Amino acid sequence: MHVLVIEDELSLRNTTAQAIVSCGYEVDSAENGIEALARVDERQPDLVILDLQMPEMDGWEFLREFRARESCRATPVIITSAICPRAAPADAQAFFEKPFDLDELLDAVERLLPRETAPRAFAWP
Amino acid sequence: MGFSLHERLRRVRDVSRGLSQVADLEALFSMLHQRMPGVLSADTFLLALYDEHSRTIQVVRQAEFDVELPGGAFPLGHGLTSEVIRTRQPRLVRNWSNEAPPVQLQYVSGTPGLPESAVMVPLITGEQVTAVLAAHSYSPDAFDEDDLLVLEAIAAQTATAIEGLRRSEHLAAQLQERVSQLQAVLGSLAEPLLMIDAQGCITELNDAARAVLCIDDASVVLGQPLEQQVWGQWPLGSAEISDAIAPMVRGLLRGDPVADCEVRLERHGRRVLKFSGRPLLDARGNVGGAVLVVRDVTARNEIEQLKYEMLSVASHDLKTPVTVIRSQAQLLRRNMRDDSIARETIDNGLATIVGQTDRLTKLLALLLDLSRIEAGRFTIDKRPTNLASVASSVIADVAATTDRHQIRLHTSGPVSGNWDDDRLGELLTNLLTNAIKYAPEGGLIDVEIRGHDNEVAVCVRDQGLGLAPDEAAHVFERFFRAESSRRLEGSGLGLYICQSVVSAHGGRIWVESPGLGQGSSFCFVLPRG
């Protein structure tokens, strides 16, 4: 299982990546939306952790581009943001406002990302 | 008179009717004169006021037969009129030649001779004789006691009417005085204020309002409707003002409660004017106009905007290190459950936490400086300082963070002065880290310190990205670049604070750049202090 962490802050990107790795997943990371789309095209992620405010291409725009890809329509996305948006993106599966609780974030990752053996527990419209 | 005394006294009531409604003394005299023949036959008739203070008799008007004539003034003397005033008693003169000093009257009719008989009555208000009513005849024995009684009855009514007139004159004078006082108050009010009538036309506009609306003394705006096109000719985007406040004015004139109205003007520099209004009610409770108070809230608006920006940027930027610290701590706790955790992993995690707390501390110091600057409380602590040694120490620290840049220090002349060495250290650190950041390819950075007689000039020169001319003009503004990055770190707030440090020392700071891609020089000059 492969998680893509998209976050412009190096320290937070590394910390989140370490935590995901400690849960036994593979991690790739990107510091903005453009870099993240390049990663997506290299390797399809099974889950995305996405910051909203980023330079170059922000989280909102990345999400539109991401969902426009046929293979990414059903991929779960967890949003993390310092600013609570008036309406969280409807096509994200979870939202965490910074400073978030790492244990809760990892719980959400585990909930949304089925183990290799488990059947997919959700369906996308 | 062919009527009985009773009938004549009843008619006095008719004579007196409406006396209290006349506008002035002249009209009062005319009314009396026209109605007099119904109750009293006389050849001449006069009404005179008496002013106790100046002992002057002022004939309001006089009449001979049907002709009314202007009056005149004469001092209290020894004539019959004066005698009536002095004695406060009515007087019946049957045969003037025998009873009283002769009096010379010259009327238009040219009637020969002197009045031969008269009735005269003082008008008494309180204890004071305020006026005299007199009727004369060119014939002797023209009047009797009944005539005196009739004239006394008329005099009593006239006294009341005069008192009423005096009261309303007094009130009018008082009102005029109040109006003058109010106008003086309005004129001296620091609060800009304008008044409009029920038609929406401006009736008052004080100096403060002229100033805030940029209307000079020569511009005539009184009497102009607030909504008229002519407002567009005013300098301060007055068309925008009249458009914005028109609904408010209409509401006020309907007597509706209205909310304050803010008008943003972008022409001639940004200004924000806030209009508050209250309807003015007349004596019957109808809306007779409105009063509008204008406040220039530009500065308050900017401070509110800055507070908002500071808070939103601060909350965003503070959350990141807090999130990292919390996540690292939670991650360490999770890892500690595993006994086989590498010591290096723990060290790295703790180092990250320490690094992030340092970052938080710097952010908080930045915010504190920013709020001090905005509150006008940014102070420096001067002490004897050698700028070359401050620069050497800063260069050593900054150089350790880069392996792509070479920082060189050049000094000439005396470089010591009375300055805040800590603040100057921060200033140089800021300029050097900027030089490194904006020269990502690396290269030479020259720090030049030149001592002159009374001042020291410092320049930090890089070979980096440089600045476009329009950018150079704005780099020292707070939140410059904030539109794109919205971050405290690297937002241009650093340079804003640099400028404050230099200003607090009485110096100046500027940037020179030949253009994009050609590097830039940040220079400042400090008086020796």
Side-chain angles (χ1 to χ4, degrees), chain B residues 29-254:
Chain B
F29 177 84
S30 291
M31 191 178 267
L32 284 173
H33 172 230
Q34 282 157 26
R35 293 175 178 179
M36 196 64 84
V39 288
L40 185 71
S41 296
D43 297 338
T44 69
F45 172 59
L46 72 82
L47 169 65
L49 299 184
Y50 175 63
D51 178 45
E52 175 72 42
H53 182 68
S54 61
R55 297 169 73 83
T56 305
I57 297 162
Q58 169 80 45
V59 179
V60 175
R61 258 175 116 66
Q62 47 198 333
E64 186 191 30
F65 306 114
D66 295 336
V67 183
E68 277 189 28
L69 301 157
F74 56 93
L76 188 70
H78 302 287
L80 269 181
T81 311
S82 300
E83 185 192 315
V84 166
I85 290 168
R86 264 201 205 90
T87 60
R88 303 156 63 90
Q89 294 297 321
R91 178 75 193 267
L92 167 65
V93 181
R94 294 178 192 273
N95 195 318
W96 200 308
S97 314
N98 300 335
E99 293 177 44
V103 60
Q104 183 64 49
L105 294 178
Q106 184 60 54
Y107 289 128
V108 283
S109 65
T111 303
L114 299 171
E116 287 296 337
S117 53
V119 273
M120 296 177 156
V121 179
L123 278 62
I124 299 176
T125 305
E127 296 295 309
Q128 300 272 321
V129 176
T130 53
V132 176
L133 263 184
H136 306 133
S137 172
Y138 293 112
S139 315
D141 276 323
F143 305 106
D144 58 14
E145 295 290 344
D146 283 2
D147 294 317
L148 200 58
L149 280 175
V150 167
L151 194 62
E152 278 186 301
I154 294 171
Q157 301 292 334
T158 305
T160 309
I162 289 175
E163 181 60 19
L165 270 177
R166 286 217 160 129
R167 202 177 297 127
S168 65
E169 269 174 13
H170 181 63
L171 283 177
Q174 272 189 334
L175 196 62
Q176 187 53 49
E177 197 179 335
R178 293 284 295 154
V179 167
S180 304
Q181 283 172 350
L182 275 177
Q183 272 170 339
V185 170
L186 286 187
S188 60
L189 263 189
E191 199 85 74
L193 182 143
L194 52 102
M195 289 168 81
I196 52 174
D197 63 15
Q199 281 70 49
C201 297
I202 302 172
T203 55
E204 289 283 347
L205 181 78
N206 68 0
D207 288 349
R210 278 188 187 271
V212 84
L213 298 172
C214 296
I215 302 164
D216 55 39
D217 292 347
S219 300
V220 179
V221 293
L222 296 185
Q224 287 182 3
L226 268 179
E227 293 181 53
Q228 208 177 45
Q229 286 302 313
V230 74
W231 274 61
Q233 296 160 13
W234 288 8
L236 189 78
S238 309
E240 283 105 305
I241 295 179
S242 56
D243 284 353
I245 66 173
M248 179 185 199
V249 169
R250 281 197 291 270
L252 284 169
L253 294 180
R254 279 196 305 268

Side-chain angles (χ1 to χ4, degrees), chain A residues 9 53 82 97 101-103, chain B residues 316 319 326 330 334 359:
Chain A
E9 280 287 335
Q53 281 184 304
E97 188 179 346
D101 185 294
L102 187 72
D103 292 333
Chain B
H316 177 270
K319 277 175 179 175
R326 185 182 173 135
Q330 284 185 289
R334 285 172 86 101
R359 185 177 164 195

Side-chain angles (χ1 to χ4, degrees), chain B residues 416-473:
Chain B
S416 291
N418 209 23
W419 302 307
D420 186 328
D421 54 347
D422 289 340
R423 285 295 187 186
L424 292 186
E426 287 170 23
L427 165 61
L428 284 169
T429 304
N430 220 307
L431 295 183
L432 280 171
T433 47
N434 272 353
I436 289 172
K437 189 159 61 180
Y438 292 105
E441 303 297 316
L444 276 177
I445 298 172
D446 287 304
V447 179
E448 194 175 279
I449 307 177
R450 284 187 186 176
H452 301 288
D453 285 348
N454 301 317
E455 59 183 28
V456 176
V458 181
C459 265
V460 176
R461 229 169 254 120
D462 66 54
Q463 300 173 329
L465 302 174
L467 287 164
D470 58 330
E471 285 181 308

Side-chain angles (χ1 to χ4, degrees), chain B residues 214-509:
Chain B
C214 296
I215 302 164
D216 55 39
D217 292 347
S219 300
V220 179
V221 293
L222 296 185
Q224 287 182 3
L226 268 179
E227 293 181 53
Q228 208 177 45
Q229 286 302 313
V230 74
W231 274 61
Q233 296 160 13
W234 288 8
L236 189 78
S238 309
E240 283 105 305
I241 295 179
S242 56
D243 284 353
I245 66 173
M248 179 185 199
V249 169
R250 281 197 291 270
L252 284 169
L253 294 180
R254 279 196 305 268
D256 297 342
V258 294
D260 291 352
C261 158
E262 274 193 7
V263 185
R264 283 165 197 280
L265 302 169
E266 303 292 345
R267 254 194 271 177
H268 311 298
R270 206 175 75 83
R271 289 185 73 192
V272 185
L273 300 180
K274 186 175 188 177
F275 287 81
S276 313
R278 280 277 186 97
L280 291 174
L281 303 183
D282 63 18
R284 294 182 198 86
N286 299 322
V287 179
V291 59
L292 295 173
V293 175
V294 196
R295 291 183 191 92
D296 188 335
V297 294
T298 314
R300 200 177 66 197
N301 228 267
E302 274 180 359
I303 289 169
E304 278 167 8
Q305 182 65 25
L306 175 77
K307 273 187 193 159
Y308 175 78
E309 279 178 6
M310 266 173 67
L311 280 176
S312 63
V313 171
S315 71
H316 177 270
D317 282 21
L318 294 175
K319 277 175 179 175
T320 303
V322 170
T323 309
V324 175
I325 291 167
R326 185 182 173 135
S327 297
Q328 276 293 345
Q330 284 185 289
L331 190 58
L332 280 173
R333 194 170 60 193
R334 285 172 86 101
N335 287 338
M336 299 287 242
R337 291 183 199 132
D338 180 358
D339 291 338
S340 65
I341 181 171
R343 185 166 181 86
E344 193 190 348
T345 307
I346 298 174
D347 279 348
N348 286 344
L350 291 174
T352 302
I353 289 174
V354 171
Q356 294 298 312
T357 52
D358 288 347
R359 185 177 164 195
L360 266 182
T361 309
K362 278 183 195 156
L363 280 172
L364 291 173
L366 196 66
L367 274 177
L368 195 61
D369 281 348
L370 191 60
S371 66
R372 279 187 184 137
I373 292 169
E374 294 308 320
R377 290 183 190 158
F378 187 81
T379 53
I380 51 169
D381 187 10
K382 286 185 187 178
R383 61 181 76 90
T385 299
N386 183 308
L387 203 50
S389 46
V390 173
S392 300
S393 147
V394 167
I395 288 171
D397 288 347
V398 174
T401 65
T402 175
D403 48 15
R404 277 191 265 186
H405 303 80
Q406 192 196 341
I407 308 176
R408 301 187 301 198
L409 175 64
H410 317 266
T411 61
S412 64
V415 294
S416 291
N418 209 23
W419 302 307
D420 186 328
D421 54 347
D422 289 340
R423 285 295 187 186
L424 292 186
E426 287 170 23
L427 165 61
L428 284 169
T429 304
N430 220 307
L431 295 183
L432 280 171
T433 47
N434 272 353
I436 289 172
K437 189 159 61 180
Y438 292 105
E441 303 297 316
L444 276 177
I445 298 172
D446 287 304
V447 179
E448 194 175 279
I449 307 177
R450 284 187 186 176
H452 301 288
D453 285 348
N454 301 317
E455 59 183 28
V456 176
V458 181
C459 265
V460 176
R461 229 169 254 120
D462 66 54
Q463 300 173 329
L465 302 174
L467 287 164
D470 58 330
E471 285 181 308
H474 297 290
V475 288
F476 295 103
E477 290 174 8
R478 68 182 174 225
F479 289 116
F480 176 69
R481 278 193 65 232
E483 289 310 317
S484 53
S485 65
R486 286 278 157 194
R487 294 290 164 94
L488 285 174
E489 292 172 306
S491 67
L493 270 184
L495 284 178
Y496 178 61
I497 292 169
C498 285
Q499 188 183 39
S500 300
V501 170
V502 173
S503 299
H505 281 91
R508 60 194 177 86
I509 188 168

Side-chain angles (χ1 to χ4, degrees), chain A residues 48-52 59 63 77-81 89 92 94-97:
Chain A
V48 174
I49 296 177
L50 175 66
D51 184 21
L52 285 181
L63 197 55
V77 172
I78 297 173
I79 305 255
T80 61
S81 175
F95 174 81
F96 289 92
E97 188 179 346

